[in-house]
Amino acid sequence: MLPPNLTSLMPATFILAGIPGMEQFHLWLSVLFCSMYLAALLGNGVLLFVIRMERSLHQPMYLFLSMLAIADLVLSTTTVPKMLALFWFGAGEISFSACLTQMFFLHFSFSAESVILLAMAFDRFVAICHPLRYAAVLTPSAVAKTGLVALLRSFCIIFPCVFLLKRLPFCGHRVIPHTYCEHMGIARLACADISINILYGLAVPFAAVVLDVVLITISYVLILVAIFRRPSRAARHKALSTCCSHVCVIFLFYVPAFFTVLTHRFGQNIPHHIHILLANLYMLFPPLLNPVVYAVRTRQIKEKVVKVFMGPWSCLLQE
């Protein structure tokens, strides 16, 4: 039992240690991470700009894609700038409040992105299985409500983690062996029982994401059944092609996430710095590759990008 006065102990700051064991590679890693981050900013920024400017893209599928791009930007911006400051300037110190804020937006954006991917799967399900009802089901109001649900669900799941951490006493342990603050990384520094943190941090967010994956899987099973019932091979191919981009993004998001969680939970033989390196790469790979996948695989977006950015040049060339 801890003394009553110990429960009021709150550290003024934490210290992010970076990637312990790879300190000699911090500079080179920072160049890689910075390049990936800038490319992610550019790709998602272009995607948002094109969808905003082109009224023909103001459809549910592309509005959900805009939400995904915003979630990607929040996910990477929450962690990468502080990571680069740590690598370049040794600025590993972070206040307790800033650490909790970073932790909240990190897990919040991850949870929101999972809901958005589920909404995109539902969009494809309605478009392929019930095409005549598509406009009636996925109205602008329904799309806006879906975005609100993503925000509210993520907030309700992640916000309790802030209180679970604020109730803990910290007795001088301030070094977080990571490049950013995350729930269990902070909780392990506490000098008290963190069973509730472990139970909630693993069970509730993980269960929510698993539920999303199950519903996405059910959606695509129904989609595949509907596609292969179509008599025309051309119709089957066209329907499958509309799903390819979303399926690629699903794999980019969930496979590394589950791999990171499972290796962290069961990969005791994997060096700690490998765990941290994988976690950092995961903050950048989906935001970097999602715009590329949609730009390459989706004809409408490819054409609109060329139209928006190459249109003025084509006029000059014609002159």
Side-chain angles (χ1 to χ4, degrees):
M1 187 69 180
L2 292 168
N5 64 339
L6 199 57
T7 60
S8 64
L9 290 178
M10 286 284 183
T13 59
F14 287 121
I15 298 174
L16 297 170
I19 307 179
M22 297 187 70
E23 289 82 0
Q24 67 273 29
F25 300 112
H26 276 183
L27 182 60
W28 295 106
L29 289 172
S30 70
V31 174
L32 172 64
F33 292 154
C34 183
S35 301
M36 294 174 69
Y37 178 59
L38 292 176
L41 289 179
L42 177 63
N44 286 284
V46 167
L47 199 61
L48 288 169
F49 179 76
V50 169
I51 293 174
R52 172 69 180 83
M53 295 299 294
E54 287 295 324
R55 293 189 62 83
S56 62
L57 297 181
H58 294 182
Q59 302 172 27
M61 175 182 173
Y62 302 110
L63 295 176
F64 288 136
L65 182 56
S66 297
M67 296 180 194
L68 186 70
I70 293 170
D72 278 337
L73 289 174
V74 174
L75 181 67
S76 56
T77 302
T78 297
T79 57
V80 177
K82 181 61 182 177
M83 180 203 312
L84 295 177
L86 167 63
F87 287 165
W88 289 341
F89 311 114
E93 196 168 76
I94 184 170
S95 69
F96 182 70
S97 297
C99 196
L100 291 184
T101 301
Q102 186 183 56
M103 179 276 300
F104 172 79
F105 280 105
L106 169 67
H107 297 306
F108 174 86
S109 56
F110 179 88
S111 175
E113 191 157 342
S114 184
V115 180
I116 294 166
L117 289 174
L118 174 58
M120 295 173 80
F122 180 71
D123 170 85
R124 292 298 86 203
F125 166 75
V126 177
I128 292 172
C129 299
H130 304 282
L132 298 179
R133 299 179 58 194
Y134 184 81
V137 173
L138 286 162
T139 62
S141 174
V143 173
K145 288 176 182 177
T146 301
L148 184 60
V149 167
L151 294 176
L152 289 177
R153 194 197 78 163
S154 302
F155 181 86
C156 292
I157 289 174
I158 305 304
F159 196 64
C161 293
V162 176
F163 291 100
L164 289 175
L165 290 172
K166 292 190 77 170
R167 73 180 181 88
L168 294 173
F170 296 86
C171 312
H173 302 289
R174 299 194 304 135
V175 178
I176 300 176
H178 214 304
T179 57
Y180 55 80
C181 299
E182 49 93 20
H183 178 227
M184 289 311 302
I186 302 172
R188 289 192 184 97
L189 299 181
C191 49
D193 182 19
I194 60 170
S195 301
I196 296 177
N197 294 74
I198 295 173
L199 181 62
Y200 187 89
L202 288 177
V204 178
F206 190 74
V209 171
V210 168
L211 176 62
D212 293 341
V213 172
V214 170
L215 293 175
I216 289 172
T217 303
I218 292 172
S219 296
Y220 270 98
V221 169
L222 296 174
I223 287 170
L224 288 174
V225 170
I227 287 174
F228 286 108
R229 281 179 177 171
R230 296 185 176 186
S232 167
R233 183 176 179 181
R236 290 197 298 268
H237 182 268
K238 182 179 179 180
L240 282 172
S241 66
T242 64
C243 298
C244 285
S245 300
H246 184 235
V247 171
C248 291
V249 168
I250 287 172
F251 278 101
L252 283 172
F253 181 76
Y254 287 114
V255 171
F258 283 117
F259 178 77
T260 301
V261 170
L262 292 174
T263 55
H264 191 75
R265 178 66 180 84
F266 301 107
Q268 286 80 8
N269 296 327
I270 300 176
H272 186 59
H273 63 269
I274 299 298
H275 287 293
I276 299 174
L277 185 60
L278 290 174
N280 280 287
L281 288 173
Y282 181 66
M283 295 298 107
L284 287 161
F285 267 123
L288 173 66
L289 296 179
N290 287 350
V292 176
V293 169
Y294 270 95
V296 171
R297 298 286 310 178
T298 308
R299 178 180 55 81
Q300 292 91 332
I301 292 180
K302 190 189 305 183
E303 290 176 353
K304 299 306 179 184
V305 168
V306 173
K307 176 184 174 182
V308 170
F309 291 98
M310 297 301 293
W313 292 103
S314 62
C315 293
L316 290 174
L317 289 174
Q318 288 175 1
E319 292 176 2

